[in-house]
Amino acid sequence: MNKVLVLDFGSQYTQLIARKVRELGVYSEIFPFDTPLARIREEAPKALILSGGPRSVYEKGAPLVSAEIFRLGIPVLGICYGVQLMARLLGGKVVPSSRREYGFARLDVRDRSGLLKGIKSKGQVWMSHGDRVEDVPPRFTITGRTANTRAAVLEAPGQGCYGVQFHPEVIHTHQGRAILANFLFSAAGMKPDWSMKSFIRRKVAEIRQAVDGGRVICGLSGGVDSLVTSLLVHRAVGPSLTCVFVDNGVLRKGQYESLMEEFRTKLHLRVRGVDASAVFLRRLRGVVSPERKRKTIGRTFIEIFEAEARKVGRVDFLAQGTIYPDVIESAPVKGPSATIKSHHNVGGLPKGLRFKLIEPLRELFKDEVRTLAAELGVDRGFIAQHPFPGPGLAVRILGEVTPGRIAILREADAILLEEVRRARLYHKLWQAFAVLLPVRSVGVMGDQRTYHQVIVLRLVQSVDGMTADWYPAEAKTLSRISTRIVNEVQGVNRVVYDITTKPPATIEWE
Ligand code: XMP
């Protein structure tokens, strides 16, 4: 399989580069900029891409690489900081600009024989740089320029070196995809050979070989990652996989039943359903602090999971839904030893059990996991579901978590979701949920004074959960939700709308 390594110099777009390359059908991984050359050789990539980065190549402590990297015999594409580094290391000159160039520019194509094959002149490109290449290194030609940047595209095909000052990986560079494709398929001579179908084939074979007649266990969380993990392992080893799904008592209304139906009936997984709600609720009694709630739930889950694993008998492997963004931070290690390795370096797992780990999604981005889920027959509605925190409703019930308070929140939350779907808002939102406050407020119902609970509605939009905006829902939608909750949920006499962004608030209330 063809592989492209992206060396990361700290650009906010590094992940995007790898994703765009994969979208073009070539497998790509991100490595830290200081990865030793021997390690790079071991990976046997067909090409390298040097990412952008926030530093200046002349700055003290700037991330550098050895010029040897250009003599590995594989084509290298430098993007932004990457091209400046290439120019500097190969004998060109990089200078600081008096003004930082940030935003759109028009690309003037001078030569279409290489990187810019088929690229139209005057196309929009996205710039974000301070320094620029003043003199190109020997044997380089400038093939594209913009009004402010003379060396916007430089190429030395004889040396396999290519560079762009703008960002071809971002959507604002209109012909960026075509430029990346020219690098991969013309300059580096690769053929697209990465797709979800080929991934499934390869992973299933790998898992089958590794498990080699052993037994595998996998905890289902209700999310996409653990489900896709189970489905892949199931394809590989069938009945040798046992899944465990724990009802922790703080799931949404009907969630346990509908998930079990999806897992067992639709997807034919062998799932041990464990109703452990009584244990969880007992442990949560009197617990008010959000962190203690999380810890209590985490610890209890591990205990229950361990007990279930013992009931299954001899288990050799634990399958986990770790995905690529979880992995990139730590130094990426690859090969069979990473897909399956002893479990001491994973937090929050059963400690007493000596499982070997199977993490088939370690190489995938979240959107790739979703594509894979569809490929494996998971329902579209399930794939597009909003994120739901592991500690569930416990972190949406401020104050103590009691059966009575869970019942109130569940009903209010179910009404909210029903109305959000009715208003066709569900897929526009990152999350929509209700929160139960730890205070009561005065109201009047009929002729009676009431002193009841307050429900908060939280509807947010977000791209990745790191920042979020509250959603300006229509008054009639909010009004319907409020009226229904107050009328249908006993013990609630007031509904309020959360109009805070993240930051400074967080999405969840705890
Ligand atoms: P916050 O509240 O930090 O949440 O803005 C960001 C995203 O993370 C989810 N979240 C959690 N997910 N366990 C989880 O699995 C947790 O303890 C947890 N806390 C927050 C939250 O729902 C949002 O999507």
Side-chain angles (χ1 to χ4, degrees):
M1 185 177 70
N2 291 317
K3 189 191 296 179
V4 171
L5 297 195
V6 179
L7 292 189
D8 181 18
F9 292 90
S11 164
Q12 56 177 326
Y13 301 129
T14 303
Q15 285 202 26
L16 208 49
I17 302 173
R19 286 167 59 166
K20 293 288 164 188
V21 171
R22 289 190 193 185
E23 274 172 35
L24 286 163
V26 175
Y27 182 63
S28 170
E29 274 190 49
I30 300 165
F31 275 61
F33 72 92
D34 56 357
T35 304
L37 284 177
R39 184 76 189 82
I40 293 177
R41 279 199 199 92
E42 222 173 86
E43 288 291 316
K46 293 277 171 39
L48 290 179
I49 298 180
L50 314 181
S51 86
R55 310 290 289 270
S56 158
V57 286
Y58 291 115
E59 218 175 294
K60 207 164 156 252
L64 299 177
V65 289
S66 140
E68 279 295 303
I69 210 150
F70 304 105
R71 291 191 274 274
L72 291 172
I74 51 172
V76 183
L77 172 69
I79 294 177
C80 198
Y81 178 88
V83 70
Q84 293 159 11
L85 194 61
M86 179 185 276
R88 184 190 156 183
L89 292 173
L90 296 177
K93 187 173 164 201
V94 177
V95 295
S97 280
S98 48
R99 258 181 335 125
R100 205 183 149 71
E101 190 183 8
Y102 184 82
F104 300 115
R106 298 269 159 208
L107 184 67
D108 177 11
V109 179
R110 292 304 175 100
D111 178 341
R112 288 191 175 80
S113 60
L115 215 48
L116 301 181
K117 193 169 72 189
I119 301 298
K120 288 198 267 308
S121 238
K122 303 292 168 216
Q124 172 183 305
V125 296
W126 179 257
M127 291 285 190
S128 169
H129 61 111
D131 295 356
R132 64 188 160 80
V133 178
E134 173 84 353
D135 294 329
V136 301
R139 293 187 295 281
F140 272 69
T141 356
I142 295 174
T143 55
R145 54 178 65 181
T146 67
N148 293 332
T149 306
R150 200 173 63 87
V153 185
L154 29 153
E155 309 183 34
Q159 301 171 66
C161 290
Y162 301 84
V164 287
Q165 183 54 70
F166 52 86
H167 288 277
E169 70 276 21
V170 305
I171 197 151
H172 315 298
T173 296
H174 288 163
Q175 301 172 92
R177 187 183 160 91
I179 295 173
L180 286 174
N182 283 340
F183 174 68
L184 300 173
F185 306 131
S186 303
M190 282 183 253
K191 294 239 170 342
D193 62 357
W194 157 264
S195 67
M196 275 309 150
K197 283 199 169 60
S198 68
F199 175 86
I200 294 175
R201 238 180 289 123
R202 185 165 57 87
K203 275 298 151 189
V204 166
E206 263 178 44
I207 296 168
R208 196 173 288 147
Q209 195 186 14
V211 171
D212 189 25
R215 291 203 60 86
V216 191
I217 195 166
C218 183
L220 290 166
S221 70
V224 180
D225 302 347
S226 57
L227 178 56
V228 170
T229 302
S230 295
L231 290 171
L232 274 178
V233 176
H234 186 248
R235 265 210 190 179
V237 303
S240 300
L241 167 73
T242 305
C243 300
V244 176
F245 181 48
V246 178
D247 184 349
N248 58 12
V250 279
L251 295 173
R252 282 182 147 152
K253 185 179 177 181
Q255 202 178 1
Y256 181 75
E257 295 73 17
S258 67
L259 285 174
M260 285 299 274
E261 161 84 11
E262 173 84 20
F263 299 153
R264 281 184 175 159
T265 317
K266 296 205 191 126
L267 297 167
H268 311 292
L269 290 170
R270 181 208 291 239
V271 186
R272 295 177 74 97
V274 191
D275 178 1
S277 37
V279 186
F280 280 91
L281 297 190
R282 199 169 56 241
R283 304 254 176 99
L284 283 170
R285 213 176 280 161
V287 178
V288 173
S289 134
E291 279 320 293
R292 268 198 64 212
K293 282 181 187 172
R294 282 195 170 78
K295 288 213 173 86
T296 306
I297 291 172
R299 260 200 315 266
T300 309
F301 175 82
I302 289 169
E303 239 175 75
I304 306 272
F305 187 83
E306 278 184 323
E308 269 326 288
R310 273 187 221 105
K311 287 185 205 155
V312 175
R314 183 182 63 93
V315 174
D316 314 278
F317 297 91
L318 174 71
Q320 279 221 132
T322 316
I323 66 172
Y324 198 43
D326 309 329
V327 178
I328 306 174
E329 313 292 89
S330 53
V333 265
K334 273 290 319 283
S337 58
T339 339
I340 295 159
K341 62 181 176 185
S342 71
H343 113 162
H344 61 266
N345 48 4
V346 178
L349 279 171
K351 291 228 166 35
L353 300 171
R354 303 303 304 166
F355 298 127
K356 280 179 262 176
L357 267 191
I358 300 181
E359 297 177 305
L361 311 183
R362 274 180 78 88
E363 298 158 9
L364 299 189
F365 290 110
K366 189 78 190 185
D367 50 346
E368 293 175 319
V369 177
R370 294 200 188 101
T371 312
L372 186 56
E375 197 74 50
L376 291 167
V378 180
D379 191 69
R380 294 258 163 218
F382 184 95
I383 298 170
Q385 69 183 334
H386 291 169
F388 185 67
L393 300 183
V395 288
R396 295 177 180 170
I397 295 174
L398 277 66
E400 191 180 357
V401 181
T402 63
R405 303 191 76 216
I406 295 174
I408 289 179
L409 183 62
R410 267 201 187 128
E411 288 306 318
D413 185 65
I415 292 170
L416 163 69
L417 275 183
E418 212 180 293
E419 292 301 329
V420 160
R421 286 183 192 278
R422 189 201 299 264
R424 305 204 172 281
L425 286 181
Y426 189 87
H427 297 294
K428 282 192 191 158
L429 299 172
W430 171 262
Q431 275 172 306
F433 57 88
V435 175
L436 179 60
L437 294 188
V439 290
R440 287 191 289 173
S441 86
V442 173
V444 53
M445 250 177 212
D447 291 329
Q448 298 282 319
R449 176 186 186 273
T450 57
Y451 188 47
H452 283 164
Q453 310 283 336
V454 184
I455 286 284
V456 179
L457 311 179
R458 184 83 164 132
L459 274 61
V460 296
Q461 288 187 309
S462 172
V463 176
D464 52 11
M466 304 298 286
T467 61
D469 288 325
W470 60 275
Y471 182 73
E474 279 190 47
K476 75 170 195 288
T477 310
L478 294 174
S479 163
R480 263 190 89 90
I481 299 172
S482 158
T483 308
R484 280 197 60 196
I485 290 179
V486 176
N487 286 337
E488 296 173 35
V489 187
Q490 254 216 321
V492 176
N493 66 356
R494 192 176 295 271
V495 175
V496 299
Y497 195 47
D498 182 346
I499 51 167
T500 340
T501 55
K502 172 185 179 176
T506 50
I507 296 175
E508 303 287 347
W509 273 53
E510 287 197 332

